Amino acid sequence: MKIFTSSHLIADSWILRERAIDKDPAVFSIDRGTTIVGRHRDAQVVVQHETVSSRHARFSIVDGQLAVTDLASTNGTWVNGHRLQATQRLQPGDTIQFGKVVFDLHSDVTPETGTNLTVVDEVFSLAVAEKARRAVPQLKSSDHLQAWFQPIVRMKDEQIVAYEVLARGAMSNLNSAGQIFEAAESQGMAAEISERIRYLGANIAAGMGTDHAFFLNTHPHEFAEDRLLNSLADLRSTFPALPLVIEIHEKAVADQSQLKELVQGIRQLDCQFAYDDFGVGSSRILEILEFPPDFVKFDIEFVRRVSNCDISTDKAVSLVEVLRKLNVRLLAEGVETRLQHERCAELGIELGQGYLYGRPKSAEDTFRAPQ
């Protein structure tokens, strides 16, 4: 195992690159028959994170084929969003997660001697992006684009009251919603994919015979002309009785007259409407006063800051009180810990969504009948 910096070479090996936002990503080469991943210093790939077990997983290479096995870790090893139950073979572009630490897998890149890691990174990025770009048209098929569901619970008793419909891909290089829409945007297909995932989710939901509400996402590319409202009208005519909540990102609509038309159109379709990713510093408070939504979804940053006491209690309470006086139902996104749940409940936030209550799952796993 090697850890590469800009002065090292990468040749004929599998490359494991961490997804990191606020630090330089760790980069590992898997170039031996067996490689142990874990928090213990004796592991060949050392990942220092509280969600990673001492001996978490094992990579093995047989005849040039890389595979990964979970070693009974506490928080699991995940490949492309699926928790491992057995050894799984891997391919370039796969996403591998140990606990909560996420890596992307690359291979077969052999730059000339002296190549800087920055250049190698660009080669990786271009290769993965091109592979994803070519795969976008396949997402029109329900075999490749899937609707997954994440529960939304009532804070006071943690009972499921709704689900958010999320996009997932069945291809290794287009698995997460972020990957799907980044590639779709490059092909001018983001609006079409967004429409498709709403239909898939609603079609599954309608067949479940449940009275839960379903939160459906939108994409900014749909706001041109009347595309979004026309799409929602078609959806409502197909599923007239399904309880639907349409999520609009709080920064997606800049024009107030357009927002008014959008809100009126959504309500005329007997759908509810939610502001998504709302934070303490939101600029949309005046629009909310004029066009109150049915729901406001506080973003994960708000939840973390509240639980860490990074914002004043008075400020958070004031915001919550203003919204509740408008009869807006409040939902905290990204709730991962019991402390976050308790702090949000104390503020008077009614609903919660996050890993604490349940990860996104396929329709089969979400609506499977109890054994």
Side-chain angles (χ1 to χ4, degrees):
M1 185 277 298
K2 306 181 185 70
I3 301 178
F4 290 103
T5 64
S6 60
S7 62
H8 289 80
L9 307 180
I10 300 178
D12 300 327
S13 59
W14 295 80
I15 306 301
L16 202 60
R17 178 182 171 85
E18 182 185 14
R19 287 189 186 177
I21 298 175
D22 55 356
K23 64 174 184 175
D24 292 334
V27 180
F28 301 96
S29 173
I30 311 298
D31 55 7
R32 60 174 64 192
T34 300
T35 300
I36 300 298
V37 180
R39 202 168 67 232
H40 196 277
R41 64 179 180 273
D42 290 338
Q44 287 80 44
V45 172
V46 178
V47 182
Q48 292 290 355
H49 192 274
E50 60 185 2
T51 63
V52 176
S53 300
S54 295
R55 287 173 55 87
H56 195 103
R58 179 180 64 244
F59 285 108
S60 54
I61 301 177
V62 180
D63 297 329
Q65 178 68 58
L66 184 66
V68 64
T69 305
D70 184 73
L71 300 178
S73 64
T74 301
N75 295 301
T77 301
W78 306 70
V79 175
N80 300 326
H82 299 280
R83 186 165 185 165
L84 288 187
Q85 303 299 326
T87 298
Q88 180 167 328
R89 293 188 176 188
L90 302 169
Q91 59 183 336
D94 281 348
T95 299
I96 306 169
Q97 182 174 335
F98 308 107
K100 292 186 178 180
V101 186
V102 182
F103 291 84
D104 292 308
L105 183 68
H106 310 278
S107 74
D108 297 331
V109 176
T110 311
E112 295 179 359
T113 301
T115 299
N116 187 283
L117 182 57
T118 301
V119 177
V120 175
D121 290 344
E122 292 175 358
V123 172
F124 287 157
S125 298
L126 290 172
V128 172
E130 177 61 20
K131 185 177 178 182
R133 184 190 67 79
R134 292 196 302 267
V136 168
Q138 299 178 49
L139 291 175
K140 293 181 181 180
S141 165
S142 58
D143 292 335
H144 294 101
L145 183 65
Q146 300 174 349
W148 281 33
F149 300 82
Q150 185 171 30
I152 293 170
V153 305
R154 194 166 46 216
M155 283 278 192
K156 65 179 181 181
D157 57 10
E158 298 185 35
Q159 291 297 303
I160 296 174
V161 296
Y163 292 93
E164 181 177 355
V165 176
L166 299 167
R168 290 294 185 271
M171 295 173 285
S172 61
N173 55 321
L174 286 177
N175 178 258
S176 69
Q179 291 171 329
I180 289 168
F181 281 101
E182 182 179 358
E185 286 171 5
S186 72
Q187 297 298 291
M189 291 178 59
E192 184 176 353
I193 296 300
S194 182
E195 292 168 351
R196 179 66 176 157
I197 198 65
R198 284 198 299 271
Y199 174 82
L200 291 173
N203 189 46
I204 292 169
M208 292 300 108
T210 174
D211 58 358
H212 291 121
F214 290 85
F215 284 63
L216 304 179
N217 286 287
T218 58
H219 189 279
H221 289 188
E222 297 182 84
F223 295 110
E225 301 177 347
D226 295 324
R227 177 162 188 162
L228 177 59
L229 286 178
N230 289 337
S231 167
L232 294 177
D234 290 342
L235 192 70
R236 175 50 84 200
S237 66
T238 306
F239 307 103
L242 192 64
L244 298 177
V245 182
I246 309 304
E247 295 192 22
I248 307 293
H249 191 283
E250 69 102 4
K251 295 180 180 178
V253 185
D255 183 78
Q256 197 165 8
S257 62
Q258 184 186 15
L259 178 63
K260 179 180 180 181
E261 180 181 349
L262 186 59
V263 172
Q264 290 176 341
I266 289 173
R267 293 208 164 114
Q268 286 171 3
L269 293 170
D270 194 27
C271 297
Q272 294 182 295
F273 140 68
Y275 268 131
D276 191 20
D277 286 338
F278 198 86
V280 171
S282 173
S283 60
R284 305 312 299 251
I285 192 67
L286 293 179
E287 284 90 339
I288 284 183
L289 293 174
E290 188 164 355
F291 312 116
D294 300 286
F295 298 86
V296 161
K297 299 184 75 175
F298 287 112
D299 64 16
I300 191 171
E301 184 61 26
F302 174 88
V303 171
R304 288 173 177 169
R305 291 178 66 188
V306 165
S307 67
N308 294 335
C309 299
D310 290 339
I311 57 176
S312 71
T313 301
D314 290 345
K315 187 173 184 179
V317 168
S318 297
L319 177 59
V320 167
E321 287 181 348
V322 167
L323 294 172
R324 292 183 68 183
K325 286 179 181 179
L326 295 170
N327 294 318
V328 177
R329 300 181 70 183
L330 307 180
L331 190 158
E333 289 189 289
V335 179
E336 298 179 342
T337 68
R338 184 56 54 185
L339 176 61
Q340 290 172 348
H341 168 93
E342 291 171 355
R343 291 282 169 82
C344 288
E346 288 168 1
L347 278 178
I349 296 175
E350 177 188 357
L351 305 171
Q353 180 180 354
Y355 287 173
L356 179 64
Y357 317 114
R359 293 175 177 268
K361 294 181 180 179
S362 66
E364 179 183 6
D365 290 337
T366 299
F367 301 109
R368 178 183 295 159
Q371 300 297 315

